[in-house]
Amino acid sequence: MFLLFVPFLLNGCSFMDIDKRAFVTAIGIDHSDNMEKKYKVTLKISISKGDPATTGSEFTLLSFDADSITEALKNMKSMTDKELFYGHTKTILLGEKVATDDIRPLLDYFVRKADIQRTTYLGVAVPTAFEVLEFKPKVEQVAGSYLFSMFDQSSTDTPYAHTLTLFDAYRRETETGLNIAMPIIKFQNEKIQVDTIALFGKKGMEAKLTPKETELFNLLTVGIENGSTMIHTEDGAYTINVSKGNTRYKIKETKNDIFSVLFHIKLDATIEEKLDNHLNLSNDQIKKIQDEAEKKTKGEVDSLLEKIQKTKLDPIGLGLKFNSKNFQHRDLNSFYSNLEFKVKVDCRIKEASIVG
């Protein structure tokens, strides 16, 4: 008798032809210009060329003002003759004004939405998500792929690139001792640039890092490749390329309720350019450049850590690591305020390839 019911169960599985689907590659959330509505939700939809199985750089935007994301997405179903498909959504952008609000309901919604991948990248769009999504790069092969490539570490080796997935953002928003660091996508002068980071508290964006601070933050967290800095010594000015940089850190108690974080930074670098002449460098000159690079990096990292500490945010996750090994200490506010930083930098210049 059981076998008789199997065909009826199988009929519940739905199948839809690919030419009846509209592939959403990116989603943008802005404040609505309508005072009676909360959000302006924008979908970037890739348009197929001839063959329904292939997509190109052509796209269309759908927008709807609503008080909830669910309401907006449901209403946009009536704005197309195809079924909206979110399986190819790679990017979710929050407009700058939305990012300053409590973003927890948005993260909770997208994490719970079954057809949105948790590996989708998140970013803050400046000035608005709509303007960023509306821009069409000349080099884009598939609609939405340009933004995805800028976040994907396998596609770019810029030291400013910082990635944040939906899963990681939700974890950072709900975890104690860890805050969100989200890349900022700026649209200006008909170009898109991603070289800064926004720092979030538990209820929205609270601070921004400069491009140089963003590079240093990546150095402290995930490491960098192809970073650069200008070094001045008594022998002249030099540009060094940091081919690889990474950091390890330890948290130690120095006094009663006083803790210090020891950051050990290692840099592998080459000298790319000497700005005044083409003279070959001696070992003593290279040693001076190494020492100056270590001194400069230490000073810049000290300033960044001091800036982050003043915000009382923890995008590095020091509080999480502290609590994982010190269960008797749970007051992170006291931990942050009494925290001391010690930075050690080791720079090794492998070769001096002067370009002049």
Side-chain angles (χ1 to χ4, degrees), residues 281-295:
L281 297 176
S282 66
N283 291 333
D284 290 340
Q285 289 174 312
I286 293 177
K287 180 64 167 59
K288 290 179 182 179
I289 296 172
Q290 288 182 160
D291 293 342
E292 188 61 31
E294 293 173 353
K295 180 180 177 181

Side-chain angles (χ1 to χ4, degrees), residues 211-221 297 300-301 304:
K212 185 59 182 179
E213 290 171 341
T214 297
E215 180 180 353
L216 294 171
F217 178 81
N218 287 334
L219 173 63
L220 294 177
T221 53
T297 302
E300 292 174 337
V301 170
L304 173 61

Side-chain angles (χ1 to χ4, degrees), residues 176-333:
T176 301
L178 188 63
N179 291 116
I180 289 176
M182 189 180 297
I184 298 175
I185 300 91
K186 293 180 291 187
F187 174 67
Q188 56 185 6
N189 301 324
E190 297 301 319
K191 293 181 180 179
I192 287 181
Q193 190 169 13
V194 183
D195 61 355
T196 54
I197 288 175
L199 303 183
F200 284 69
K202 296 303 181 183
K203 291 187 177 181
M205 182 175 68
E206 296 187 15
K208 295 180 181 179
L209 301 184
T210 66
K212 185 59 182 179
E213 290 171 341
T214 297
E215 180 180 353
L216 294 171
F217 178 81
N218 287 334
L219 173 63
L220 294 177
T221 53
V222 296
I224 63 171
E225 295 180 358
N226 290 328
S228 64
T229 187
M230 181 75 68
I231 300 298
H232 295 272
T233 70
E234 59 185 14
D235 299 320
Y238 308 87
T239 299
I240 68 171
N241 175 68
V242 179
S243 57
K244 184 179 181 181
N246 54 65
T247 304
R248 293 183 178 181
Y249 66 88
K250 295 181 180 179
I251 301 176
K252 292 185 177 181
E253 184 173 8
T254 57
K255 303 175 184 177
N256 293 332
D257 294 329
I258 302 296
F259 293 84
S260 66
V261 184
L262 310 177
F263 290 92
H264 187 191
I265 301 173
K266 292 185 178 181
L267 304 175
D268 291 333
T270 58
I271 302 174
E272 283 201 333
E273 187 176 10
K274 190 173 188 295
L275 302 183
D276 50 1
N277 56 53
H278 300 267
L279 296 178
N280 293 327
L281 297 176
S282 66
N283 291 333
D284 290 340
Q285 289 174 312
I286 293 177
K287 180 64 167 59
K288 290 179 182 179
I289 296 172
Q290 288 182 160
D291 293 342
E292 188 61 31
E294 293 173 353
K295 180 180 177 181
K296 182 179 181 180
T297 302
K298 182 182 184 306
E300 292 174 337
V301 170
D302 283 335
S303 297
L304 173 61
L305 292 173
E306 182 179 352
K307 176 178 179 177
I308 294 176
Q309 187 177 37
K310 287 181 179 179
T311 66
K312 296 182 180 180
L313 302 176
D314 189 5
I316 299 177
L318 301 177
L320 182 63
K321 184 170 184 177
F322 168 75
N323 274 338
S324 68
K325 297 183 178 180
N326 299 271
F327 296 105
Q328 70 276 21
H329 300 285
R330 305 301 298 180
D331 184 7
L332 289 181
N333 289 328

Side-chain angles (χ1 to χ4, degrees), residues 36 42 72 85 94 137 167 175 193 228 323 335 339 342 347:
E36 298 180 355
T42 303
F85 180 71
L94 306 180
F167 168 78
E175 183 66 77
Q193 190 169 13
S228 64
N323 274 338
F335 168 71
L339 198 60
K342 296 181 180 180
C347 178

